[in-house]
């Protein structure tokens, strides 16, 4: 085992396109930022998504520590995975940056209903939850509740929508700072 940290990139529903900050980070250093590919981005199945996270963590942990970099439904998937994964597997995770966690409990999107309810167990690793003040997929109050339940630090960015491609964040320097602070 080496000491190389792998940053597993976990996009949300419908994946993260080329203008998304996750894609920028991955393109800048593809050996370090590795996207967890889901079989079906448009019709997500919770068990399949959690299984892909588990397999990716197991594979990456062979080379060293793992940090999770999740967006939207990816955050909900991390919480679900952490609530059910064996302690030996979660021990490989050094931290998680959870950006704009989708409030699937209140989302009017049938494809996301299988992820209900959002797992609210304390995460077994350090985490930071990042939320915008005008995110259409989660209110700051609800994101703060997720952070409290997950034992995570909470950071509010101001009005940047869903902190995705439409937000025009580019490489998102603030996100990189928050990741480094983990």
């Amino acid at each position: 085992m080496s000491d190389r940290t792998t940053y597993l990139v976990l996009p949300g529903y419908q994946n993260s396109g080329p203008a998304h900050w996750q894609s920028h980070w991955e393109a800048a250093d593809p050996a370090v930022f590795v996207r967890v590919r889901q079989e079906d981005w448009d019709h997500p199945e919770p068990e399949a998504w959690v299984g892909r996270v588990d397999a990716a963590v197991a594979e990456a942990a062979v080379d060293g520590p793992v940090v999770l970099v999740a967006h939207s439904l990816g955050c909900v998937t991390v919480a679900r995975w952490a609530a059910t994964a064996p302690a030996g597997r979660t021990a490989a995770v050094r931290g998680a940056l959870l950006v704009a966690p989708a409030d699937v409990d209140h989302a009017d999107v049938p494809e996301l209903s299988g992820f209900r309810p959002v797992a609210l167990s304390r995460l077994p690793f350090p985490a930071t939850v990042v939320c915008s003040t005008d995110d259409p997929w989660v209110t700051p109050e609800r994101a703060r509740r997720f952070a409290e339940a997950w034992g995570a630090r909470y950071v509010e960015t101001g009005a940047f929508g869903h902190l995705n491609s439409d937000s025009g964040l580019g490489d998102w320097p603030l996100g990189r700072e928050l990741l480094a602070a983990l």
Side-chain angles (χ1 to χ4, degrees):
M1 174 151 120
S2 73
D3 287 332
R4 182 179 67 96
T5 300
T6 300
Y7 295 85
L8 292 178
V9 177
L10 304 160
Y13 176 55
Q14 297 181 331
N15 203 354
S16 294
H20 197 286
W21 58 267
Q22 285 182 317
S23 299
H24 281 271
W25 294 5
E26 188 179 3
D29 199 346
V32 174
F33 288 92
V34 179
R35 184 169 302 219
V36 175
R37 306 258 176 225
Q38 297 294 348
E39 186 174 325
D40 190 341
W41 293 105
D42 297 327
H43 301 92
E45 293 293 331
E47 295 78 20
W49 278 43
V50 166
R52 293 281 175 119
V53 171
D54 193 61
V57 169
E59 182 178 336
V62 170
D63 292 327
V66 176
V67 174
L68 306 176
V69 181
H71 179 261
S72 194
L73 189 60
C75 301
V76 175
T77 304
V78 166
R80 184 177 284 260
W81 169 76
T84 59
R89 185 86 77 234
T90 61
V93 177
R94 295 287 168 88
L97 182 65
L98 306 172
V99 180
D103 188 358
V104 296
D105 293 340
H106 298 102
D108 190 21
V109 179
E111 290 84 2
L112 305 182
S113 64
F115 287 83
R116 294 178 186 153
V118 173
L120 296 176
S121 303
R122 186 172 187 83
L123 298 174
F125 41 78
T128 299
V129 171
V130 184
C131 180
S132 168
T133 56
D134 63 348
D135 190 325
W137 290 97
V138 65
T139 65
E141 295 76 24
R142 186 76 165 144
R144 193 174 297 108
R145 170 71 181 108
F146 292 157
E148 289 169 2
W150 296 336
R153 175 181 172 215
Y154 177 75
V155 175
E156 212 167 87
T157 64
F160 289 97
H162 194 46
L163 298 168
N164 59 7
S165 300
D166 294 340
S167 302
L169 300 171
D171 191 63
W172 196 33
L174 173 62
R176 285 194 180 267
E177 288 175 25
L178 294 170
L179 184 64
L182 272 174

